[in-house]
């Protein structure tokens, strides 16, 4: 046996670039190198205590066995209430699925519904895993570029032009990883109008950052804004980002019963149920007090404002002000073609990021991983002091390019 036996489906995908950069940073730190990691996509806050207590209670009360494949009834009820409370959406229990993280939710949905040659529209910059999951399923990612000049958001005209008879899905992630851009209700309405004209297209709303947004913006999701699209929308969410529960691995979705059932069938032959203890924790998180979200957002907003201001002061970078999530995505066109003090020409965002890592000891993720270059992603889910140091290092590294 050899690598020649690796399946064609697996050969169509790449390892996650963000996880690879985070691993590189860990390896450098283990060697004692003073490197600041801005590549990781997780909140630096801790899981709330009341959530941890619910998990401990679940262990003590023996909730340590298999559960229903796609989620316990109590968790599905908590999710149903969450959709009603936060989004004004009514989903029956047979319209709700619970999975091993949001990535698994998206994976199940795509693998359950995409056939060879089916097209999936993905606005760029995109979350790294979308094109790979689509390619794994045999589908064709159709990427729409939305650069800094349009605040990293696609227009209705771009969407209309990308739709073909083979289009199966549009994936819309708002607020976005990696850009932080989020669609306002009227922008969602305008995109919904295009979808209305193409009844064969389904919509995957990735609302993973629903609770991370700032003043002058108000979160909305498509099925709520365009009720007539409810039947063809999968509203995806999870506990990872809002409740600082990345390690617990709970994602979920509400959508048409036929699709939810198909996703459950796939899950029954792969992971079975998500961890029973994590499901108890998620039930507590979704049903418990939500006030801490505002406090955390206030901290994130302060960091966003500082990082955007400092990166805009770095020669060659232009950093739009994002509405939400905990990322910024500076455009690095102004650095391209310049030379480092060692004489290396910066002709790609990958080279720029290597230069930052080698000389400034700051790790970000190159835009190439997100399908829109030259740019890079900075995660500001770390302390104000570390962020300030990192931004000074980036400013100095940019200033040294000639
Ligand atoms: N969707 C987006 C846009 C994300 O940024 C992430 C995580 O980074 C996910 C989905 C997956 O989240 P999870 O960690 O729950 O699998």
């Amino acid at each position: 046996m050899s690598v020649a036996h690796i399946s064609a489906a697996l050969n169509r995908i790449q390892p996650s670039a963000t996880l690879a950069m985070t691993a590189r940073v860990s390896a450098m730190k283990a060697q004692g190198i003073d490197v600041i990691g801005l590549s990781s996509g997780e909140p630096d806050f801790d899981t709330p205590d009341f959530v941890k207590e619910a998990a401990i209670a679940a262990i003590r009360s023996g909730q340590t066995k298999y559960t229903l494949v796609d989620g316990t009834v109590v968790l599905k009820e908590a999710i149903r209430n969450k959709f009603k409370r936060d989004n004004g959406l009514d989903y029956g229990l047979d319209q709700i699925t619970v999975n091993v993280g949001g990535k698994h939710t998206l994976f199940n949905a795509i693998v359950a519904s995409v056939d060879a040659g089916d097209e999936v529209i993905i606005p760029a910059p995109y979350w790294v895993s979308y094109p790979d999951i689509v390619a794994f399923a045999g589908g064709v990612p159709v990427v729409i570029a939305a650069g800094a000049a349009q605040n990293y958001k696609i227009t209705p005209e771009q969407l209309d032009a990308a739709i073909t008879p083979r289009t199966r899905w549009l994936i819309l992630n708002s607020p976005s990883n990696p850009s932080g851009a989020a669609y306002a209700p009227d922008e969602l309405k305008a995109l919904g109008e295009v979808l209305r004209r193409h009844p064969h297209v389904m919509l995957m709303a990735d609302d993973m950052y629903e609770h991370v947004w700032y003043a002058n913006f108000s979160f909305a999701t498509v099925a709520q804004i365009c009720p007539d699209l409810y039947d063809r929308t999968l509203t995806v969410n999870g506990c990872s980002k809002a409740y600082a529960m990345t390690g617990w691995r709970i994602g979920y979705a509400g959508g048409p019963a036929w699709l939810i059932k198909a996703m459950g069938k796939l899950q029954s032959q792969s992971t079975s149920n998500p961890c029973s203890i994590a499901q108890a924790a998620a039930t507590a998180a979704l049903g418990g007090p939500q006030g801490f979200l505002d406090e955390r957002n206030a901290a994130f907003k302060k960091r966003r404002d500082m990082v955007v201001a400092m990166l805009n002061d770095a020669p060659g970078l232009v950093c739009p002000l994002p509405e939400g999530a905990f990322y910024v995505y500076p455009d690095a066109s102004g650095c391209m073609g310049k030379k480092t003090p060692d004489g290396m020409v910066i002709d790609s965002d990958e080279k720029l990021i290597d230069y930052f890592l080698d000389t400034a000891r700051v790790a970000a993720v190159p835009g190439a991983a997100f399908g829109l270059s030259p740019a890079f992603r900075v995660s500001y889910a770390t302390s104000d002091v570390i962020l300030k140091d990192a931004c000074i290092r980036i400013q100095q590294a940019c200033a040294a390019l000639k």
Side-chain angles (χ1 to χ4, degrees), residues 107-167:
F107 185 90
N108 279 352
I110 290 167
V111 172
S113 64
V114 169
D115 272 323
D118 283 350
E119 295 173 3
V120 177
I121 298 176
I122 304 175
Y126 46 68
W127 181 51
V128 280
S129 295
Y130 298 141
D132 288 280
I133 298 174
V134 170
F136 181 81
V140 181
V142 174
V143 174
I144 307 180
Q150 56 190 88
N151 277 326
Y152 299 124
K153 291 187 242 185
I154 58 166
T155 62
E157 294 72 29
Q158 284 181 299
L159 175 60
D160 204 29
I163 293 174
T164 76
R166 291 300 313 252
T167 307

Side-chain angles (χ1 to χ4, degrees), residues 70 95 150 211 231 250 254 283 296 366:
D70 69 347
Q95 292 182 278
Q150 56 190 88
H211 292 296
D231 284 339
I250 295 291
T283 307
R296 291 182 175 187

Side-chain angles (χ1 to χ4, degrees), residues 181-304:
Y183 291 84
D186 58 327
E187 292 170 321
L188 290 179
K189 240 183 217 156
L191 295 177
E193 238 148 67
V194 175
L195 294 178
R196 211 160 281 140
R197 292 200 296 274
H198 302 279
H200 65 293
V201 180
M202 304 258 309
L203 181 87
M204 206 172 293
D206 181 344
D207 295 347
M208 202 57 70
Y209 296 89
E210 164 180 19
H211 292 296
V212 193
W213 51 266
Y214 312 113
N216 306 325
F217 181 79
S218 187
F219 174 84
T221 192
V222 184
Q224 166 193 27
I225 293 296
C226 309
D228 57 318
L229 299 180
Y230 169 90
D231 284 339
R232 48 179 167 129
T233 300
L234 185 71
T235 307
V236 178
N237 214 313
C239 294
S240 297
K241 315 289 173 169
Y243 304 103
M245 290 176 68
T246 46
W248 300 76
R249 312 306 304 134
I250 295 291
Y252 59 87
W258 62 266
L259 178 61
I260 296 296
K261 192 171 169 200
M263 291 166 68
K265 180 173 161 190
L266 179 60
Q267 188 157 313
S268 77
Q269 295 294 13
S270 51
T271 61
S272 291
N273 63 273
C275 167
S276 58
I277 300 150
Q279 289 190 71
T283 307
L286 293 169
Q290 308 288 305
F292 67 94
L293 295 170
D294 287 343
E295 285 161 35
R296 291 182 175 187
N297 279 359
F300 276 142
K301 179 179 183 300
K302 215 171 126 218
R303 295 172 187 175
R304 175 200 66 167

